[in-house]
Amino acid sequence: MNSASDSTELELAEPHLREVLSTVGLDVEYVRSEGNTLYRLDADGREIAVLDYAGGYGSLMFGHNHPALTARAKQLLDEGTPTHAQFSRHPYANRVATELNRIVHRELGDDEPYFAIFANSGAEAIEAAVKHAELDRGARAAALVDEIETHAAAVRETAASGTAVIAGGALARLGLDDSADGAHDVERLLAGIARHNAEQRSRPPLFLTLEGSFHGKLVGSVQLTHNAGYRTPFSSLAAQARFVPLDRPEELRKTVENERGTLLDPVIADGVVDVVEREYPVFCAFLVEPIQGEGGINVLSEAFAREIQEVCAAIDCPVVIDEIQCGMGRTGTFLASSAIGLKGDYYALAKSLGGGIAKSAVMLVREARYRREFELVHSSTFAKDSFSCHIALQVLGMLEAEDGRAYRIAAERGRALAGALTSVLGAFPTVLREVRGKGLMLGLDFADQADSPSPVLRELSAAGFLGYAIAGYLLREHRIRTFPTASAVNTLRFEPSLLLTDEEIGRLETALRDVCAVLREQDGNRLLPSAA
Ligand code: F0G
């Protein structure tokens, strides 16, 4: 038996998920793929083409199995490229990093180097960034503490010589009274400062990110992912984030004010001892997707991006830009963030970096933040390997070819696709709510059906399954594959490759008009697969 679709076979690989998929008709096995097409087999073993708008959740800028990429992959294998050569020189990784720097510098209009740490998946790149940011935060905190201890020693020395005077209000600020014994009061003041500082330093690091964010599902990154269902069962395992609503600068500033930390620093000038506040680095990093993917295709505004940048600069909190889904040219520029004037201390890239065939990811750290000792405490068996680096180089070459033709195509094809979605929106104003996104990263928001006269639609809506049922219908009736964004369940997302044709856009438009008509007629039963 060649096919894994034998229904008598015992399912051991996530059997529950398969059951869930089968309720809406999404449990299909694909046997081949090319361009924007996945193939499944019918009962007679004939291939049936399915038009793929899911695009590996944004991993397929060049489509499935692009011939230039598969040819390069075959060539690498034929040449016997040493995929496993850990702890040796990796000039191909350096070439990827150099090329990324060239592109990022062009888009940022800047020339500060970004150092590259490689990984194998998006969440891993995010966690590498988080670890690096924590190493850096720890080092900055330690330097501040050292400085404060040096000041405390100087104060003590002056006090011992009997010449120190405590500035008015300094004791009171720590809740201490003035005992009129100068040397004793200096000791009490320093002890109070030490207590306050120890308390501040015992606080765990905090992350800032946005409501609707998705940065991965590993132990650390899932705490930076807003969806409570994914996050809260694991809250005890890793540092926490504060989630700020999009486009609400006052909420951002309030959150920062509430959580901000200060250390007290005893200073002495002309024999007078005073206490000053120093910003303590409580915030480890601010993580931001320029366009939220899994959270519903929400575009960060230029104004809010500026706000984030300013607030982070004020508290010296590094900005980690998650370009894993929206980057790699999908929205018409290599970095989606460069188009809104947002500059990162860190960038995370994955998905399309692997050209749809390799599993690779990278995080970039700008020189001013970079801690080279990170390289000695972080590693991965698979990361930075020759195969995926050479594929990444090929991908970058294809993006940059002909003066960035790929970026222009992404923008143009994106406009054509958005035009079709907008036209369906116009035709079905009661069924659809909004088209969102940019370039080849678009979302179509369906109206909730919680008050539908159809019990089926009401139930699907209440269970958060409406989007999946719509996706199941499009697959069954129109051979089109798309999914809702898992954390905004009524939004279907469209992330096709650059190869998208007008005919493929037309097919989607026809299919969407059909499913919208089903919803307008409140024909819930038609949406579900007939009882199997
Ligand atoms: N960051 C973003 C913006 C993502 O979209 C994803 C994954 C990740 C990080 C994690 O990457 O899966 O390679 O570890 N997004 C998928 C989605 C799962 O549904 O959009 P990963």
Side-chain angles (χ1 to χ4, degrees):
M1 173 93 26
N2 288 330
S3 162
S5 55
D6 176 3
S7 59
T8 61
E9 212 175 309
L10 178 61
E11 187 95 35
L12 294 172
E14 305 190 35
H16 176 58
L17 180 61
R18 178 179 170 174
E19 269 169 32
V20 172
L21 292 176
S22 77
T23 60
V24 285
L26 289 170
D27 63 330
V28 171
E29 179 192 351
Y30 295 102
V31 295
R32 196 168 72 80
S33 61
E34 64 185 347
N36 286 320
T37 307
L38 279 159
Y39 295 91
R40 65 180 176 84
L41 299 179
D42 70 9
D44 302 321
R46 277 187 303 255
E47 280 192 341
I48 296 185
V50 171
L51 174 55
D52 185 18
Y53 273 95
Y57 298 136
S59 304
L60 298 169
M61 266 294 277
F62 293 101
H64 292 276
N65 293 314
H66 189 286
L69 290 162
T70 53
R72 182 72 180 119
K74 285 180 201 161
Q75 185 192 20
L76 288 163
L77 296 178
D78 286 344
E79 287 170 356
T81 200
T83 294
H84 288 282
Q86 299 86 349
F87 247 56
S88 65
R89 282 189 57 210
H90 289 67
Y92 30 80
N94 199 46
R95 289 209 292 280
V96 175
T98 304
E99 186 60 1
L100 287 171
N101 268 269
R102 193 183 64 74
I103 299 170
V104 168
H105 289 159
R106 181 186 68 221
E107 292 204 347
L108 297 180
D110 197 339
D111 62 0
E112 183 176 353
Y114 279 84
F115 293 100
I117 303 288
F118 286 81
N120 308 280
S121 70
E124 194 188 327
I126 290 291
E127 297 212 2
V130 161
K131 274 183 70 183
H132 185 285
E134 178 59 4
L135 190 71
D136 178 43
R137 189 187 76 93
R140 282 185 285 131
L144 178 58
V145 167
D146 274 356
E147 204 186 316
I148 290 174
E149 278 170 5
T150 309
H151 293 167
V155 167
R156 219 168 250 127
E157 206 173 294
T158 316
S161 68
T163 55
V165 178
I166 300 178
L171 284 162
R173 179 182 195 163
L174 282 149
L176 302 169
D177 53 14
D178 188 342
S179 78
D181 173 348
H184 179 58
D185 280 346
V186 166
E187 269 318 311
R188 288 168 63 232
L189 184 75
L190 291 177
I193 287 173
R195 263 195 313 277
H196 168 92
N197 289 354
E199 200 180 295
Q200 285 289 311
R201 290 178 58 201
S202 70
R203 292 175 63 186
L206 264 185
F207 292 90
L208 294 166
T209 182
L210 300 172
E211 290 183 0
S213 61
F214 187 97
H215 297 293
K217 286 181 176 167
L218 296 183
V219 165
S221 48
V222 79
Q223 293 309 320
L224 311 170
T225 288
H226 186 225
N227 187 320
Y230 301 150
R231 173 169 46 91
T232 52
F234 312 104
S235 292
S236 61
L237 294 179
Q240 305 295 295
R242 297 287 176 269
F243 297 92
V244 179
L246 272 170
D247 286 328
R248 298 271 296 282
E250 68 294 350
E251 288 289 323
L252 170 57
R253 290 189 186 260
K254 201 165 84 192
T255 305
V256 167
E257 269 327 302
N258 286 346
E259 302 288 359
R260 216 166 161 165
T262 50
L263 294 191
L264 298 178
D265 187 8
V267 289
I268 185 155
D270 300 329
V272 180
V273 179
D274 206 350
V275 180
V276 297
E277 285 189 351
R278 308 285 300 271
E279 182 84 30
Y280 179 64
V282 175
F283 299 104
C284 189
F286 195 128
L287 285 100
V288 56
E289 289 161 270
I291 300 180
Q292 292 183 336
E294 200 264 2
I297 316 293
N298 306 308
V299 182
L300 190 70
S301 70
E302 222 165 292
F304 199 53
R306 201 161 42 240
E307 194 71 27
I308 291 172
Q309 197 97 69
E310 278 172 17
V311 167
C312 287
I315 56 172
D316 195 22
C317 171
V319 178
V320 178
I321 304 187
D322 184 340
E323 293 269 356
I324 288 167
Q325 191 164 157
C326 58
M328 300 292 302
R330 178 161 294 283
T331 65
T333 43
F334 182 77
L335 299 169
S337 50
S338 70
I340 53 168
L342 184 64
K343 182 179 171 186
D345 295 283
Y346 297 73
Y347 291 96
L349 293 164
K351 296 201 191 250
S352 283
L353 183 66
I357 50 177
K359 295 173 183 175
S360 68
V362 67
M363 72 94 171
L364 302 173
V365 193
R366 79 182 172 95
E367 188 176 38
R369 296 261 183 211
Y370 192 55
R371 302 267 171 191
R372 45 196 291 167
E373 60 271 32
F374 186 73
E375 296 166 25
L376 306 179
V377 296
H378 183 85
S379 64
S380 151
T381 301
F382 288 119
K384 210 168 66 171
D385 64 291
S386 69
F387 182 81
S388 52
C389 285
H390 280 115
I391 296 295
L393 270 173
Q394 173 93 11
V395 168
L396 295 175
M398 286 163 73
L399 285 173
E400 291 282 302
E402 296 174 56
D403 201 21
R405 182 163 168 265
Y407 307 122
R408 295 190 293 278
I409 293 181
E412 185 281 323
R413 291 287 76 196
R415 278 191 297 274
L417 180 56
L421 298 180
T422 307
S423 127
V424 183
L425 171 71
F428 295 90
T430 58
V431 173
L432 299 174
R433 287 170 17 127
E434 201 180 5
V435 175
R436 292 191 294 270
K438 190 175 175 195
L440 292 169
M441 183 169 180
L442 296 168
L444 179 63
D445 194 6
F446 283 73
D448 190 55
Q449 295 289 341
D451 300 323
S452 166
S454 151
V456 173
L457 290 183
R458 275 205 308 277
E459 271 167 42
L460 283 170
S461 209
F465 259 68
L466 180 68
Y468 287 99
I470 296 169
Y473 180 89
L474 292 172
L475 182 60
R476 217 168 47 247
E477 302 295 328
H478 295 275
R479 296 176 183 172
I480 287 179
R481 181 175 136 94
T482 173
F483 293 113
T485 50
S487 295
V489 289
N490 291 339
T491 299
L492 286 191
R493 72 172 132 175
F494 305 95
E495 302 190 20
S497 79
L498 289 174
L499 309 172
L500 185 70
T501 63
D502 287 341
E503 189 265 335
E504 288 169 337
I505 295 176
R507 271 184 63 195
L508 177 66
E509 183 171 344
T510 304
L512 287 171
R513 284 177 184 273
D514 175 38
V515 80
C516 285
V518 169
L519 288 166
R520 187 166 61 191
E521 286 152 28
Q522 298 287 310
D523 193 352
N525 290 325
R526 261 194 77 199
L527 209 55
L528 291 179
S530 48

